[in-house]
Amino acid sequence: MNFKTWKGMASLLSAAMLALALAGCGTTTSNEGTGTTPQQPAQEQTADLKTQYPITVTDATGESFTFDKAPAKIVSVSPAETESLFALGLDEQIVGVSDYDDYPEAATKKPKMGGITKPNEESIIAAEADIVFTGISMSEESVKKLRDLGITIFKTNPKSVDDVMTNIETFGKITDHQEKAQEIITQMKQDVSDVTEAVKAVKPEEKKKVYVEFSPGWTVGKGEFMDELITLAGGTNIASDKDGWYEINEENVIASNPDVILYANDVIDENSKTLDQIIKARSGWDQITAVKNDAVIGLDANLLSRPGPRVTQGLKEVAKAIYPDQFK
């Protein structure tokens, strides 16, 4: 059966297939020719929000990049990275995005650079970008091929909410938009705090078992940001006995008997069935507590799937779905 899936989740399904190939390292930054003391006066800390070039950064593949100035032309071929760059206020610098980039609205008006796993090489080269950003959906092998063509491509591979915030901080340093980056990160940290504070009274024995399905037959285990969202929201991911993104065993889900089932709300199959209809129609799933209690809850696919600045909004939605009484 062929399924029509939404653009935002296409990136995650690709990531699932590439999970074994993706690197787990994060990004680091350093300033050449500058130094800081452990404790700085407030005015110096404010001054540090202005990037001092040259700056050297390292991406998730271990590749280092040195910038003598802020990049004037930027391409992003990852929806999450595109959201981060627009949130930083880089609309004028962004000269291209992937075919799947649909948020914010301004991204839909940018020149298209092809897919998220295999972007259009000719279009990217023609854009003459100073830097190209890509995310979890592109394998290191594909990144290397683009680099061999002379394309400067910076890859991220966030595994946690902290990783997402670190990436935003790095983008802010590269582009000399550090102040805005800190504003975004502060809000994200507040979102996390709001959620964890709201669910902290949930006793370990009262934690709800949660199953999430982002594409028909696909879920996520430990070691990925979506699993962390469930944990931060006070739930227990029934799929966390395995690592990464993987295809489900329907009998195992029945045996785990989740209290809540979360699904991406804009999946439609060739027969116009939604993902919740697909889930509820499976043999034996009518005996699952979540199905019997009508706790099969659809969430915005982009908030659920994209490790960008809105991921903590997704966290809030996950928490509300699991513990609605805590968020009235």
Side-chain angles (χ1 to χ4, degrees):
M1 180 177 291
N2 293 320
F3 290 93
K4 176 185 177 183
T5 59
W6 63 103
K7 292 182 178 180
M9 296 310 294
S11 62
L12 277 187
L13 187 53
S14 299
M17 297 174 179
L18 293 169
L20 295 179
L22 293 177
C25 52
T27 62
T28 60
T29 64
S30 65
N31 284 85
E32 297 182 354
T34 64
T36 58
T37 56
Q39 292 185 347
Q40 296 172 293
Q43 63 268 27
E44 290 187 27
Q45 293 177 8
T46 302
D48 283 347
L49 293 179
K50 186 73 175 175
T51 301
Q52 301 299 311
Y53 296 99
I55 183 173
T56 298
V57 297
T58 303
D59 77 348
T61 70
E63 187 80 2
S64 293
F65 307 81
T66 297
F67 296 89
D68 294 321
K69 59 182 180 180
K73 292 184 178 181
I74 297 170
V75 164
S76 172
V77 287
S78 165
E81 276 55 56
T82 296
E83 289 198 18
S84 295
L85 295 166
F86 270 99
L88 288 170
L90 294 162
D91 189 333
E92 292 184 5
Q93 288 83 4
I94 297 171
V95 296
V97 298
S98 86
D99 294 348
Y100 295 95
D101 290 13
D102 56 9
Y103 188 92
E105 177 66 22
T108 66
K109 299 176 173 61
K110 295 292 183 178
K112 302 303 180 184
M113 300 286 133
I116 52 180
T117 58
K118 294 182 179 179
N120 187 305
E121 298 158 358
E122 292 80 8
S123 296
I124 292 177
I125 292 172
E128 298 182 334
D130 299 306
I131 187 73
V132 178
F133 290 98
T134 189
I136 61 176
S137 299
M138 189 179 293
S139 69
E140 287 192 26
E141 181 182 5
S142 296
V143 170
K144 184 180 183 302
K145 288 181 179 179
L146 292 173
R147 286 175 178 161
D148 288 344
L149 293 172
I151 296 171
T152 303
I153 186 162
F154 185 103
K155 175 175 167 52
T156 71
N157 185 28
K159 297 289 186 178
S160 67
V161 174
D162 280 347
D163 286 348
V164 176
M165 290 189 280
T166 296
N167 287 338
I168 292 171
E169 183 177 40
T170 299
F171 299 162
K173 290 178 179 179
I174 292 171
T175 62
D176 196 15
H177 281 62
Q178 293 193 59
E179 185 173 351
K180 185 61 179 178
Q182 291 307 315
E183 288 180 14
I184 295 167
I185 292 167
T186 297
Q187 182 58 59
M188 293 176 72
K189 288 180 176 179
Q190 184 62 54
D191 291 341
V192 173
S193 178
D194 289 345
V195 169
T196 55
E197 181 68 21
V199 301
K200 72 177 184 180
V202 178
K203 298 177 181 178
E205 65 272 18
E206 295 174 344
K207 286 191 173 185
K208 293 185 180 180
K209 294 182 292 183
V210 181
Y211 167 70
V212 59
E213 188 161 332
F214 60 85
S215 187
W218 283 82
T219 192
V220 61
K222 63 184 176 183
E224 302 293 345
F225 70 90
M226 198 182 294
D227 172 67
E228 184 189 28
L229 296 186
I230 295 171
T231 301
L232 288 172
T236 300
N237 181 11
I238 67 163
S240 63
D241 57 331
K242 292 185 179 181
D243 293 322
W245 320 93
Y246 64 91
E247 289 187 276
I248 64 170
N249 178 305
E250 293 186 16
E251 293 300 321
N252 287 347
V253 177
I254 295 172
S256 296
N257 192 28
D259 301 296
V260 178
I261 294 177
L262 307 178
Y263 69 94
N265 64 7
D266 54 357
V267 176
I268 301 175
D269 75 0
E270 59 188 9
N271 298 312
S272 298
K273 287 186 177 180
T274 57
L275 187 49
D276 62 321
Q277 292 173 325
I278 295 168
I279 289 170
K280 292 175 181 178
R282 290 174 181 152
S283 177
W285 283 46
D286 58 342
Q287 296 305 306
I288 293 175
T289 297
V291 177
K292 290 194 291 186
N293 292 343
D294 199 26
V296 181
I297 302 164
L299 298 179
D300 183 290
N302 291 342
L303 294 183
L304 184 66
S305 69
R306 291 182 180 174
R310 296 191 296 161
V311 71
T312 53
Q313 294 180 39
L315 169 63
K316 285 186 171 183
E317 294 306 308
V318 169
K320 290 176 184 176
I322 299 174
Y323 299 109
D325 290 342
Q326 303 293 330
F327 294 91
K328 288 183 177 180

